[in-house]
């Protein structure tokens, strides 16, 4: 049997809850299932106000609206990330100051952020790559010192944690002022397309709900707080239908089981490949002491682009699909002419050398490990 890169996992109840949503006669957003999901996230992970969105991309766009990006404002983020992280802010007229990754792992190098801050800087957007935390203590301290907003791109980071130096542990997505999650079918918890904005800072809560519902105060109208509802701000249609929320709810009921299975697969990769990796100078994922592992992804760092290409080819010949990941955004056709010319060598190295192995619930991981060891 060929091994795909990803296979969406169903818990079994998805169609049942979708059927229920359909026959309850409430198909638009912000109904029973939306509220069940949102409340679950708020209570289980200690996020602030949660709003389901149709994607993480949407949640990031909401965040850019909320922090009130104006043309010419600057936003600091890693170059090694998905286009949506940057696009959300570009749409509001921001300039992006791309920051290099750490040499040990692909997350933003927080030690390089301060030198990128200028009087125009408005926000820092750490991306928790592979669900592994960025150095949030350092990033939050910089944000406090320079009065900046922090928007966590937590697309891959559900069920992952950061430990502060005083020992307190917080879920990723609960630390920044705002955080965006994805439930795209390639993530740990899925709804096909889907996402969520966690609004942790009190000052954004009322406006977030308005932006979410097309710039109207519809939500407070339905709570009976105002007697008319109308157009009060800018916004868009960011909320998903109840059918999507019903699907997501079925996934959340099995969150712990899904995570246990993924973590076992991740560990089997790690244990199975450790000796081989050392022998061939191939890097395995590194989890910094302040971070946890949510088993979103298992990646290898090859020594060169040539070695990576050969490895992907070898697996493909044996019907196993492994894939590379981002191309540095500062070198993308869209952004290269706008970039300030700084070299970002670690970002480029991950663009050339990182390969992601198949990772999904039910994967026969031994087969992939066996093929890799033959390489
Ligand atoms: C998946 C992902 C996104 C986009 O998520 P969508 O829900 O597909 O919009 C954004 N940022 C990162 C880091 C991602 O991994």
């Amino acid at each position: 049997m060929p091994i795909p890169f990803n296979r969406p996992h169903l818990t079994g109840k998805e169609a049942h809850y979708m059927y229920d949503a359909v026959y309850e006669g409430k198909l638009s957003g912000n109904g029973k299932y939306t509220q069940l999901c949102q409340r679950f996230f708020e209570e289980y992970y200690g996020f602030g106000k949660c709003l389901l969105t149709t994607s993480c991309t949407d949640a990031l766009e909401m965040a850019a609206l909320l922090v009130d990006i104006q043309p010419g404002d600057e936003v600091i983020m890693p170059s090694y990330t998905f286009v949506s992280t940057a696009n959300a802010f570009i749409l509001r007229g921001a300039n992006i100051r791309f920051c290099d990754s750490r040499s040990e792992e692909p997350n933003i190098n927080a030690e390089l952020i301060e030198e990128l801050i200028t009087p125009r800087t408005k926000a820092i957007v750490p991306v928790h790559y592979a669900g592994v935390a960025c150095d949030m203590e350092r990033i939050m301290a910089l944000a406090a010192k320079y009065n900046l907003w922090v928007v966590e791109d937590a697309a891959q980071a559900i069920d992952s944690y950061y430990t502060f130096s005083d020992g307190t542990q917080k879920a990723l997505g609960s630390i920044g002022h705002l955080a965006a999650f994805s439930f795209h079918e390639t993530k740990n918890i899925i709804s096909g397309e889907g996402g969520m904005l966690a609004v942790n800072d009190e000052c954004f809560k009322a406006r977030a709900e308005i932006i979410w519902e097309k710039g109207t105060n519809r939500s407070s109208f339905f709570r009976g707080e105002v007697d008319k509802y109308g157009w009060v701000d800018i916004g868009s249609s960011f909320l998903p239908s109840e059918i999507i929320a019903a699907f997501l709810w079925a996934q959340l009921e099995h969150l712990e089981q899904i995570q246990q299975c993924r973590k076992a697969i991740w560990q089997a990769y790690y244990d199975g490949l450790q000796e081989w990796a050392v022998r061939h100078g191939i890097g395995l994922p590194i989890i910094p002491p302040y971070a946890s592992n949510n088993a979103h992804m298992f990646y290898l760092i090859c020594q060169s682009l040539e070695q990576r290409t050969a490895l992907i080819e070898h697996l493909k010949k044996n019907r196993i699909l492994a894939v590379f990941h981002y191309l540095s955004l500062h070198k993308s056709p869209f952004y290269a002419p706008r970039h300030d010319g700084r070299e970002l060598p670690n970002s480029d190295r991950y663009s050339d050398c990182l390969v992601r192995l198949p990772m999904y619930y039910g994967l026969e991981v031994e087969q992939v490990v066996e093929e890799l060891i033959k390489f």
Side-chain angles (χ1 to χ4, degrees):
M1 270 255 290
I3 295 187
F5 171 67
N6 179 57
R7 181 178 287 153
H9 168 65
L10 299 181
T11 68
K13 281 280 195 78
E14 286 85 354
H16 174 76
Y17 290 146
M18 289 167 85
Y19 184 96
D20 180 53
V22 168
Y23 286 96
E24 287 235 328
K26 163 79 178 158
L27 296 182
S28 60
N30 203 7
K32 176 177 87 179
Y33 285 105
T34 298
Q35 279 158 25
L36 277 171
C37 292
Q38 290 177 172
R39 207 169 317 131
F40 171 84
F41 285 117
E42 289 163 5
E43 285 166 9
Y44 194 80
Y45 292 115
F47 299 149
K49 185 186 186 65
C50 287
L51 295 171
L52 293 191
T53 57
T54 56
S55 64
C56 178
T57 302
D58 263 3
L60 289 163
E61 287 176 21
M62 283 185 72
L65 286 166
L66 284 167
V67 303
D68 196 27
I69 297 291
Q70 297 296 317
D73 285 348
E74 293 176 4
V75 177
I76 297 169
M77 65 178 67
S79 176
Y80 194 72
T81 184
F82 190 55
V83 290
S84 293
T85 321
N87 246 334
F89 296 90
I90 291 287
L91 283 168
R92 310 306 308 157
N95 294 321
I96 310 292
R97 308 284 325 268
F98 285 115
C99 186
D100 205 5
S101 296
R102 300 178 71 218
S103 57
E104 301 88 339
E105 43 109 19
N107 274 330
I108 191 167
N109 184 346
E111 289 172 33
L112 301 177
I113 292 175
E114 192 160 15
E115 64 199 49
L116 299 178
I117 295 174
T118 74
R120 299 238 47 181
T121 306
K122 192 93 167 247
I124 305 171
V125 187
V127 179
H128 305 299
Y129 187 78
V132 175
C134 297
D135 188 350
M136 290 309 289
E137 186 154 1
R138 192 185 282 262
I139 291 170
M140 294 313 289
L142 280 172
K145 179 172 170 192
Y146 292 96
N147 206 13
L148 307 174
W149 297 116
V150 174
V151 178
E152 293 176 71
D153 182 336
Q156 306 174 11
I158 197 70
D159 201 47
S160 202
Y161 294 83
Y162 180 87
T163 306
F164 287 83
S165 50
D166 68 2
T168 52
Q169 202 181 46
K170 290 188 87 175
L172 300 188
S174 71
I175 303 166
H177 305 98
L178 296 161
F181 287 91
S182 175
F183 307 120
H184 185 266
E185 74 164 38
T186 52
K187 307 301 203 275
N188 291 29
I189 299 295
I190 62 174
S191 64
E193 302 278 355
M196 181 174 74
L197 182 71
V199 185
N200 298 319
D201 196 284
E202 202 60 42
C203 77
F204 294 127
K205 287 184 182 168
R207 190 162 183 243
E209 209 173 51
I210 289 168
I211 286 174
W212 188 55
E213 290 234 60
K214 301 121 185 142
T216 71
N217 55 357
R218 193 170 179 277
S219 295
S220 41
F221 174 71
F222 280 108
R223 283 196 300 265
E225 294 161 8
V226 290
D227 54 13
K228 278 199 278 296
Y229 100 78
W231 187 16
V232 296
D233 201 338
I234 57 172
S236 191
S237 185
F238 287 115
L239 70 176
S241 93
E242 274 291 284
I243 304 173
I244 299 292
F247 189 107
L248 184 63
W249 181 244
Q251 294 267 311
L252 292 180
E253 284 188 336
H254 287 246
L255 175 77
E256 279 162 33
Q257 188 188 330
I258 291 170
Q259 286 300 88
Q260 259 172 28
C261 175
R262 293 187 74 105
K263 284 177 189 172
I265 290 168
W266 197 99
Q267 200 57 48
Y269 266 137
Y270 198 90
D271 296 342
L273 292 174
Q274 207 167 16
E275 202 184 308
W276 166 83
V278 171
R279 200 151 17 91
H280 296 276
I282 287 175
L284 296 182
I286 286 174
I287 316 281
Y290 51 70
S292 72
N293 176 20
N294 72 345
H296 171 61
M297 186 193 301
F298 196 93
Y299 62 78
L300 304 172
I301 316 267
C302 295
Q303 285 184 320
S304 63
L305 178 59
E306 294 67 34
Q307 188 188 41
R308 181 179 75 177
T309 307
L311 188 146
I312 291 175
E313 268 310 303
H314 169 79
L315 290 177
K316 198 167 155 194
K317 271 202 217 103
N318 294 285
R319 304 206 298 165
I320 295 169
L321 195 64
V323 295
F324 55 83
H325 213 183
Y326 309 128
L327 303 171
S328 293
L329 292 184
H330 72 287
K331 290 200 168 162
S332 62
F334 176 74
Y335 210 81
R338 297 164 173 83
H339 179 62
D340 56 26
R342 280 171 303 113
E343 296 285 339
L344 306 174
N346 288 328
S347 180
D348 291 344
R349 183 163 54 86
Y350 296 119
S351 295
D352 285 347
C353 301
L354 186 145
V355 54
R356 296 183 292 159
L357 301 181
M359 182 77 200
Y360 51 84
Y361 190 104
L363 167 70
E364 288 175 32
V365 58
E366 295 76 19
Q367 208 180 321
V368 186
V369 169
E370 234 169 76
E371 270 323 317
L372 277 168
I373 287 172
K374 285 189 210 149
F375 173 72

